[in-house]
Amino acid sequence: MSFDIEQIRRDFPILHQKIYNRRLIYFDNAATTQRPQQVIDALNRTYIEYYGNIHRAAHFLADKATEAYEETREKVRGLINAPAREQVIFTKGTTESINLAAFSYGEAFVGEGDEIIVSEMEHHSNIVPWQLMAGRKGAKIVMLPIDDDGRLKIELLDSLINEHTRLITCAHVSNVLGTINPVKKIAETAHAHGIHIFVDGAQAAPHLKIDVQDMNVDFYAFSAHKMYGPNGVGVLYGKRELLEQMPPYQGGGEMISEVRFAGTTYNELPYKFEAGTPNISGVIAFGAAIDYLGSVGIENIANQEKTLLAYATKRLMEIPGIKIYGTQPEKSGVISFNVEGIHPFDLGTMLDKMGIAVRTGHHCADPLMQHFNIPGTVRASFAFYNTPEEIDLFIDALKKVIALF
Ligand code: PMP
């Protein structure tokens, strides 16, 4: 499959505009990516051609919408190599997927005195739902630390796991450090001790080939908006035998089988976990995003992003006083850095005025900021539609900003 960067950039209309009269350079892809015309068209088509509420009414529009919605479920199944479509649950995003899993898993499997291991590099979304669950259940959160290169100290796992441990959770890819964690290996360790593993795949699914069966993870979560799809759509994958034992997260329409005031029975998977009217058009358009990713090719995407990461790292190292956080080799296209003597927020604001979108702050990873003893970083995160030329412009702008201070 050939990789035509000019054509790819033409597919993304939002990239071709001026910001403050400067060419837009969008390096905030870890926060959210932009959408190609194909996804925008798919979203519009649902409203123009076949919008109706799914799974319920017996009429043409509802049937067509249901079919398209369920088609996306099958596309997601294929994308992550899930064994069955019933194991793909639609949510509104990674955050909701984690809250769902933490609540329902906690109800089914966690009791007083149990322990959950959470890595130090997690996004708040993969810390707080487990803390809430632990609070309800009288369980304890145990931290799996990182080293100063941003590598998880998985050699400590054996000593952290004991007879109270129920689950370990970590990101597949860190949204701050870019570290790609060896989740297959962590899953092996977890299963050797009879515990489960939940993986936050928000920063991995847009960039890597995901195979939930090969990694043998028990749960995997991600968001469509970081994958060139609509916002308000996410996925929770789970092993069937676990999902079947877990109670519903929310009550409402669709998730029931029969409702009586004497008691309610629940629908089968995946509907048991999909209460209420979902983001119908968003899920359908996510199908178009998966098609788009397939047409570019995940290997091409990974290669382009690897080239961008290597080039940007090399060019950033030219800058005196720069410190990059996340320096171990297994890394995705995210660079967090600080420049000595300049607050990250000031750098970000000045870069914005030069047309360059980066993220500054704690990146919803306070414990990680505490590890490095910093208030925040500047984060540049790449997508396959970015180019080395944009990196050159970014470095020039950064040098100008630093000279001003
Ligand atoms: N986990 C990680 C690693 C993330 O980067 C993000 C988004 N920044 C989330 C979870 C939360 O995703 P969402 O906001 O789409 O729910």
Side-chain angles (χ1 to χ4, degrees), residues 43-54 59-66 277-282 284:
L43 191 61
N44 283 339
R45 252 195 328 273
T46 61
Y47 288 124
I48 294 167
E49 291 176 24
Y50 48 88
Y51 183 75
N53 209 337
I54 55 168
H59 64 77
F60 181 86
L61 290 180
D63 281 349
K64 201 150 179 234
T66 304
T277 301
N279 185 347
I280 299 166
S281 53
I284 295 171

Side-chain angles (χ1 to χ4, degrees), residues 10-25:
R10 274 197 294 277
D11 287 339
F12 288 82
I14 201 169
L15 298 178
H16 309 285
Q17 61 179 300
K18 296 221 156 153
I19 305 282
Y20 308 115
N21 220 17
R22 304 288 188 107
R23 172 182 164 179
L24 166 68
I25 295 179

Side-chain angles (χ1 to χ4, degrees), residues 30 93-96 98 123 125 171 173 175 200 202-203 223 225-226:
T94 306
T95 303
E96 192 180 47
I98 300 171
H123 188 284
S125 290
V173 172
N175 64 313
D200 172 354
Q203 297 294 345
S223 299
H225 72 93
K226 295 184 196 285

Side-chain angles (χ1 to χ4, degrees), residues 30-32 92-98 121-126 171-176 200-204 221-226 232-234 359 363-364 379:
T32 195
K92 69 181 167 70
T94 306
T95 303
E96 192 180 47
S97 299
I98 300 171
M121 69 169 75
E122 294 314 293
H123 188 284
H124 296 160
S125 290
N126 200 31
H172 193 173
V173 172
S174 160
N175 64 313
V176 181
D200 172 354
Q203 297 294 345
F222 51 98
S223 299
H225 72 93
K226 295 184 196 285
V233 176
R359 192 130 177 128
H363 314 295
C364 299
R379 181 184 72 185

